[in-house]
PDB file of all heavy atoms in Angstrom:
ATOM      1  N   GLY A 394      -0.921  11.506  12.365  1.00  0.00           N
ATOM      2  CA  GLY A 394      -2.182  10.933  11.879  1.00  0.00           C
ATOM      3  C   GLY A 394      -2.484  10.926  10.325  1.00  0.00           C
ATOM      4  O   GLY A 394      -3.527  10.553   9.754  1.00  0.00           O
ATOM      5  N   THR A 395      -1.431  11.497   9.553  1.00  0.00           N
ATOM      6  CA  THR A 395      -1.431  11.561   8.123  1.00  0.00           C
ATOM      7  C   THR A 395      -0.602  10.596   7.529  1.00  0.00           C
ATOM      8  O   THR A 395       0.629  10.378   7.841  1.00  0.00           O
ATOM      9  CB  THR A 395      -0.999  12.954   7.642  1.00  0.00           C
ATOM     10  OG1 THR A 395      -1.818  14.004   8.399  1.00  0.00           O
ATOM     11  CG2 THR A 395      -1.003  13.074   6.134  1.00  0.00           C
ATOM     12  N   ILE A 396      -1.177   9.734   6.595  1.00  0.00           N
ATOM     13  CA  ILE A 396      -0.351   8.668   6.009  1.00  0.00           C
ATOM     14  C   ILE A 396       0.574   9.150   4.922  1.00  0.00           C
ATOM     15  O   ILE A 396       0.173  10.122   4.068  1.00  0.00           O
ATOM     16  CB  ILE A 396      -1.500   7.748   5.242  1.00  0.00           C
ATOM     17  CG1 ILE A 396      -2.339   7.028   6.283  1.00  0.00           C
ATOM     18  CG2 ILE A 396      -0.765   6.729   4.438  1.00  0.00           C
ATOM     19  CD1 ILE A 396      -3.393   6.167   5.760  1.00  0.00           C
ATOM     20  N   PHE A 397       1.823   8.604   4.970  1.00  0.00           N
ATOM     21  CA  PHE A 397       2.772   8.891   3.964  1.00  0.00           C
ATOM     22  C   PHE A 397       2.587   7.910   2.818  1.00  0.00           C
ATOM     23  O   PHE A 397       2.514   8.258   1.629  1.00  0.00           O
ATOM     24  CB  PHE A 397       4.272   8.838   4.596  1.00  0.00           C
ATOM     25  CG  PHE A 397       5.287   8.775   3.582  1.00  0.00           C
ATOM     26  CD1 PHE A 397       5.507   9.876   2.716  1.00  0.00           C
ATOM     27  CD2 PHE A 397       6.007   7.585   3.206  1.00  0.00           C
ATOM     28  CE1 PHE A 397       6.509   9.912   1.874  1.00  0.00           C
ATOM     29  CE2 PHE A 397       6.961   7.631   2.256  1.00  0.00           C
ATOM     30  CZ  PHE A 397       7.277   8.768   1.518  1.00  0.00           C
ATOM     31  N   CYS A 398       2.680   6.584   3.010  1.00  0.00           N
ATOM     32  CA  CYS A 398       2.353   5.524   2.098  1.00  0.00           C
ATOM     33  C   CYS A 398       1.772   4.410   2.831  1.00  0.00           C
ATOM     34  O   CYS A 398       1.806   4.216   4.058  1.00  0.00           O
ATOM     35  CB  CYS A 398       3.609   5.187   1.298  1.00  0.00           C
ATOM     36  SG  CYS A 398       4.696   4.179   2.299  1.00  0.00           S
ATOM     37  N   ALA A 399       1.237   3.484   1.936  1.00  0.00           N
ATOM     38  CA  ALA A 399       0.568   2.302   2.605  1.00  0.00           C
ATOM     39  C   ALA A 399       0.386   1.230   1.605  1.00  0.00           C
ATOM     40  O   ALA A 399       0.711   1.362   0.448  1.00  0.00           O
ATOM     41  CB  ALA A 399      -0.793   2.679   3.169  1.00  0.00           C
ATOM     42  N   ASP A 400      -0.021   0.077   2.058  1.00  0.00           N
ATOM     43  CA  ASP A 400      -0.323  -1.081   1.102  1.00  0.00           C
ATOM     44  C   ASP A 400      -1.188  -0.600  -0.047  1.00  0.00           C
ATOM     45  O   ASP A 400      -2.177   0.088   0.150  1.00  0.00           O
ATOM     46  CB  ASP A 400      -1.135  -2.114   1.753  1.00  0.00           C
ATOM     47  CG  ASP A 400      -0.327  -3.202   2.588  1.00  0.00           C
ATOM     48  OD1 ASP A 400       0.592  -3.787   1.861  1.00  0.00           O
ATOM     49  OD2 ASP A 400      -0.494  -3.404   3.699  1.00  0.00           O
ATOM     50  N   GLY A 401      -0.766  -0.734  -1.308  1.00  0.00           N
ATOM     51  CA  GLY A 401      -1.556  -0.267  -2.368  1.00  0.00           C
ATOM     52  C   GLY A 401      -1.011  -0.663  -3.763  1.00  0.00           C
ATOM     53  O   GLY A 401      -0.295  -1.644  -3.823  1.00  0.00           O
ATOM     54  N   GLY A 402      -1.437   0.049  -4.800  1.00  0.00           N
ATOM     55  CA  GLY A 402      -1.023  -0.205  -6.047  1.00  0.00           C
ATOM     56  C   GLY A 402      -1.978  -0.161  -7.107  1.00  0.00           C
ATOM     57  O   GLY A 402      -2.857   0.584  -7.201  1.00  0.00           O
ATOM     58  N   GLN A 403      -1.881  -1.149  -8.015  1.00  0.00           N
ATOM     59  CA  GLN A 403      -2.731  -1.218  -9.325  1.00  0.00           C
ATOM     60  C   GLN A 403      -4.023  -1.927  -9.034  1.00  0.00           C
ATOM     61  O   GLN A 403      -4.165  -2.960  -8.449  1.00  0.00           O
ATOM     62  CB  GLN A 403      -1.790  -2.013 -10.308  1.00  0.00           C
ATOM     63  CG  GLN A 403      -2.567  -2.262 -11.687  1.00  0.00           C
ATOM     64  CD  GLN A 403      -2.191  -1.132 -12.653  1.00  0.00           C
ATOM     65  OE1 GLN A 403      -0.945  -0.612 -12.627  1.00  0.00           O
ATOM     66  NE2 GLN A 403      -3.053  -0.767 -13.532  1.00  0.00           N
ATOM     67  N   TYR A 404      -5.078  -1.284  -9.598  1.00  0.00           N
ATOM     68  CA  TYR A 404      -6.396  -1.948  -9.704  1.00  0.00           C
ATOM     69  C   TYR A 404      -6.864  -2.031 -11.123  1.00  0.00           C
ATOM     70  O   TYR A 404      -6.192  -1.442 -12.047  1.00  0.00           O
ATOM     71  CB  TYR A 404      -7.432  -1.197  -8.800  1.00  0.00           C
ATOM     72  CG  TYR A 404      -7.736   0.133  -9.265  1.00  0.00           C
ATOM     73  CD1 TYR A 404      -8.777   0.495 -10.154  1.00  0.00           C
ATOM     74  CD2 TYR A 404      -7.087   1.149  -8.796  1.00  0.00           C
ATOM     75  CE1 TYR A 404      -8.912   1.766 -10.651  1.00  0.00           C
ATOM     76  CE2 TYR A 404      -7.128   2.635  -9.104  1.00  0.00           C
ATOM     77  CZ  TYR A 404      -8.237   2.871 -10.030  1.00  0.00           C
ATOM     78  OH  TYR A 404      -8.431   4.166 -10.457  1.00  0.00           O
ATOM     79  N   ALA A 405      -7.816  -2.957 -11.343  1.00  0.00           N
ATOM     80  CA  ALA A 405      -8.067  -3.450 -12.616  1.00  0.00           C
ATOM     81  C   ALA A 405      -8.329  -2.238 -13.785  1.00  0.00           C
ATOM     82  O   ALA A 405      -7.804  -2.391 -14.857  1.00  0.00           O
ATOM     83  CB  ALA A 405      -9.286  -4.350 -12.612  1.00  0.00           C
ATOM     84  N   ASP A 406      -9.118  -1.322 -13.480  1.00  0.00           N
ATOM     85  CA  ASP A 406      -9.439  -0.360 -14.444  1.00  0.00           C
ATOM     86  C   ASP A 406      -8.868   1.020 -14.180  1.00  0.00           C
ATOM     87  O   ASP A 406      -9.458   2.158 -14.595  1.00  0.00           O
ATOM     88  CB  ASP A 406     -11.026  -0.164 -14.577  1.00  0.00           C
ATOM     89  CG  ASP A 406     -11.594   0.162 -13.130  1.00  0.00           C
ATOM     90  OD1 ASP A 406     -10.839   0.063 -12.117  1.00  0.00           O
ATOM     91  OD2 ASP A 406     -12.854   0.520 -13.140  1.00  0.00           O
ATOM     92  N   MET A 407      -7.710   1.145 -13.572  1.00  0.00           N
ATOM     93  CA  MET A 407      -7.172   2.512 -13.225  1.00  0.00           C
ATOM     94  C   MET A 407      -6.490   3.131 -14.531  1.00  0.00           C
ATOM     95  O   MET A 407      -6.327   2.524 -15.455  1.00  0.00           O
ATOM     96  CB  MET A 407      -6.126   2.288 -12.150  1.00  0.00           C
ATOM     97  CG  MET A 407      -4.802   1.578 -12.546  1.00  0.00           C
ATOM     98  SD  MET A 407      -3.565   1.740 -11.285  1.00  0.00           S
ATOM     99  CE  MET A 407      -3.152   3.379 -11.308  1.00  0.00           C
ATOM    100  N   ALA A 408      -6.183   4.515 -14.301  1.00  0.00           N
ATOM    101  CA  ALA A 408      -5.626   5.328 -15.338  1.00  0.00           C
ATOM    102  C   ALA A 408      -4.126   4.944 -15.460  1.00  0.00           C
ATOM    103  O   ALA A 408      -3.570   4.224 -16.304  1.00  0.00           O
ATOM    104  CB  ALA A 408      -5.831   6.683 -15.104  1.00  0.00           C
ATOM    105  N   TRP A 409      -3.326   5.501 -14.521  1.00  0.00           N
ATOM    106  CA  TRP A 409      -1.817   5.229 -14.504  1.00  0.00           C
ATOM    107  C   TRP A 409      -1.345   5.582 -13.152  1.00  0.00           C
ATOM    108  O   TRP A 409      -1.988   5.848 -12.224  1.00  0.00           O
ATOM    109  CB  TRP A 409      -1.251   6.180 -15.689  1.00  0.00           C
ATOM    110  CG  TRP A 409      -1.617   7.499 -15.491  1.00  0.00           C
ATOM    111  CD1 TRP A 409      -1.015   8.518 -14.604  1.00  0.00           C
ATOM    112  CD2 TRP A 409      -2.559   8.294 -16.152  1.00  0.00           C
ATOM    113  NE1 TRP A 409      -1.618   9.779 -14.689  1.00  0.00           N
ATOM    114  CE2 TRP A 409      -2.533   9.784 -15.610  1.00  0.00           C
ATOM    115  CE3 TRP A 409      -3.574   8.020 -17.148  1.00  0.00           C
ATOM    116  CZ2 TRP A 409      -3.449  10.642 -16.058  1.00  0.00           C
ATOM    117  CZ3 TRP A 409      -4.356   8.999 -17.632  1.00  0.00           C
ATOM    118  CH2 TRP A 409      -4.351  10.261 -17.058  1.00  0.00           C
ATOM    119  N   ASP A 410      -0.002   5.629 -13.043  1.00  0.00           N
ATOM    120  CA  ASP A 410       0.633   5.919 -11.779  1.00  0.00           C
ATOM    121  C   ASP A 410       0.171   5.253 -10.514  1.00  0.00           C
ATOM    122  O   ASP A 410      -0.220   5.878  -9.645  1.00  0.00           O
ATOM    123  CB  ASP A 410       0.560   7.482 -11.617  1.00  0.00           C
ATOM    124  CG  ASP A 410       1.411   8.322 -12.640  1.00  0.00           C
ATOM    125  OD1 ASP A 410       2.003   7.652 -13.456  1.00  0.00           O
ATOM    126  OD2 ASP A 410       1.334   9.493 -12.653  1.00  0.00           O
ATOM    127  N   PRO A 411       0.342   3.886 -10.516  1.00  0.00           N
ATOM    128  CA  PRO A 411      -0.095   3.248  -9.259  1.00  0.00           C
ATOM    129  C   PRO A 411       0.732   3.476  -8.036  1.00  0.00           C
ATOM    130  O   PRO A 411       0.403   3.106  -6.823  1.00  0.00           O
ATOM    131  CB  PRO A 411       0.036   1.733  -9.746  1.00  0.00           C
ATOM    132  CG  PRO A 411       1.116   1.740 -10.776  1.00  0.00           C
ATOM    133  CD  PRO A 411       0.917   3.015 -11.534  1.00  0.00           C
ATOM    134  N   GLU A 412       1.888   4.195  -8.217  1.00  0.00           N
ATOM    135  CA  GLU A 412       2.832   4.458  -6.949  1.00  0.00           C
ATOM    136  C   GLU A 412       2.132   5.536  -6.144  1.00  0.00           C
ATOM    137  O   GLU A 412       2.773   5.958  -5.063  1.00  0.00           O
ATOM    138  CB  GLU A 412       4.243   4.731  -7.495  1.00  0.00           C
ATOM    139  CG  GLU A 412       4.467   6.060  -7.910  1.00  0.00           C
ATOM    140  CD  GLU A 412       3.949   6.421  -9.364  1.00  0.00           C
ATOM    141  OE1 GLU A 412       3.524   5.468 -10.022  1.00  0.00           O
ATOM    142  OE2 GLU A 412       4.008   7.620  -9.821  1.00  0.00           O
ATOM    143  N   GLN A 413       1.088   6.139  -6.543  1.00  0.00           N
ATOM    144  CA  GLN A 413       0.506   7.112  -5.656  1.00  0.00           C
ATOM    145  C   GLN A 413      -0.969   7.241  -5.809  1.00  0.00           C
ATOM    146  O   GLN A 413      -1.558   6.917  -6.986  1.00  0.00           O
ATOM    147  CB  GLN A 413       1.090   8.728  -5.972  1.00  0.00           C
ATOM    148  CG  GLN A 413       1.004   8.912  -7.624  1.00  0.00           C
ATOM    149  CD  GLN A 413       1.673  10.256  -7.850  1.00  0.00           C
ATOM    150  OE1 GLN A 413       1.957  11.048  -6.965  1.00  0.00           O
ATOM    151  NE2 GLN A 413       1.680  10.522  -9.205  1.00  0.00           N
ATOM    152  N   ILE A 414      -1.696   7.540  -4.839  1.00  0.00           N
ATOM    153  CA  ILE A 414      -3.193   7.691  -5.007  1.00  0.00           C
ATOM    154  C   ILE A 414      -3.448   9.103  -5.252  1.00  0.00           C
ATOM    155  O   ILE A 414      -3.079   9.994  -4.399  1.00  0.00           O
ATOM    156  CB  ILE A 414      -3.956   7.051  -3.624  1.00  0.00           C
ATOM    157  CG1 ILE A 414      -5.516   7.259  -3.795  1.00  0.00           C
ATOM    158  CG2 ILE A 414      -3.453   7.828  -2.299  1.00  0.00           C
ATOM    159  CD1 ILE A 414      -6.236   6.551  -2.663  1.00  0.00           C
ATOM    160  N   VAL A 415      -4.062   9.394  -6.322  1.00  0.00           N
ATOM    161  CA  VAL A 415      -4.521  10.791  -6.784  1.00  0.00           C
ATOM    162  C   VAL A 415      -5.865  10.825  -7.360  1.00  0.00           C
ATOM    163  O   VAL A 415      -6.327   9.807  -7.768  1.00  0.00           O
ATOM    164  CB  VAL A 415      -3.495  11.109  -7.882  1.00  0.00           C
ATOM    165  CG1 VAL A 415      -3.701  12.536  -8.373  1.00  0.00           C
ATOM    166  CG2 VAL A 415      -2.007  11.183  -7.387  1.00  0.00           C
ATOM    167  N   THR A 416      -6.552  11.979  -7.178  1.00  0.00           N
ATOM    168  CA  THR A 416      -7.772  12.161  -7.855  1.00  0.00           C
ATOM    169  C   THR A 416      -7.917  13.598  -8.440  1.00  0.00           C
ATOM    170  O   THR A 416      -7.013  14.373  -8.197  1.00  0.00           O
ATOM    171  CB  THR A 416      -8.929  11.865  -6.848  1.00  0.00           C
ATOM    172  OG1 THR A 416     -10.213  11.987  -7.519  1.00  0.00           O
ATOM    173  CG2 THR A 416      -9.042  12.983  -5.758  1.00  0.00           C
ATOM    174  N   GLN A 417      -8.966  13.840  -9.107  1.00  0.00           N
ATOM    175  CA  GLN A 417      -9.124  15.307  -9.578  1.00  0.00           C
ATOM    176  C   GLN A 417     -10.634  15.601  -9.156  1.00  0.00           C
ATOM    177  O   GLN A 417     -11.581  15.350  -9.841  1.00  0.00           O
ATOM    178  CB  GLN A 417      -9.117  15.253 -11.095  1.00  0.00           C
ATOM    179  CG  GLN A 417      -9.110  16.743 -11.737  1.00  0.00           C
ATOM    180  CD  GLN A 417      -8.751  16.735 -13.061  1.00  0.00           C
ATOM    181  OE1 GLN A 417      -9.240  15.779 -13.871  1.00  0.00           O
ATOM    182  NE2 GLN A 417      -8.018  17.559 -13.716  1.00  0.00           N
ATOM    183  N   TRP A 418     -10.666  16.103  -7.881  1.00  0.00           N
ATOM    184  CA  TRP A 418     -11.963  16.694  -7.310  1.00  0.00           C
ATOM    185  C   TRP A 418     -12.914  15.589  -7.168  1.00  0.00           C
ATOM    186  O   TRP A 418     -14.140  15.657  -7.330  1.00  0.00           O
ATOM    187  CB  TRP A 418     -12.519  17.730  -8.121  1.00  0.00           C
ATOM    188  CG  TRP A 418     -11.523  18.673  -8.844  1.00  0.00           C
ATOM    189  CD1 TRP A 418     -11.445  18.850 -10.182  1.00  0.00           C
ATOM    190  CD2 TRP A 418     -10.466  19.479  -8.309  1.00  0.00           C
ATOM    191  NE1 TRP A 418     -10.450  19.758 -10.364  1.00  0.00           N
ATOM    192  CE2 TRP A 418      -9.827  20.115  -9.315  1.00  0.00           C
ATOM    193  CE3 TRP A 418     -10.117  19.659  -6.970  1.00  0.00           C
ATOM    194  CZ2 TRP A 418      -8.813  20.952  -9.116  1.00  0.00           C
ATOM    195  CZ3 TRP A 418      -8.979  20.442  -6.720  1.00  0.00           C
ATOM    196  CH2 TRP A 418      -8.377  21.062  -7.794  1.00  0.00           C
TER     197      TRP A 418
END
Side-chain angles (χ1 to χ4, degrees):
T395 303
I396 292 173
F397 169 73
C398 73
D400 274 303
Q403 178 95 32
Y404 59 89
D406 58 344
M407 71 173 290
W409 57 81
D410 292 356
E412 81 283 351
Q413 57 184 344
I414 182 169
V415 177
T416 187
Q417 193 172 36
W418 328 122

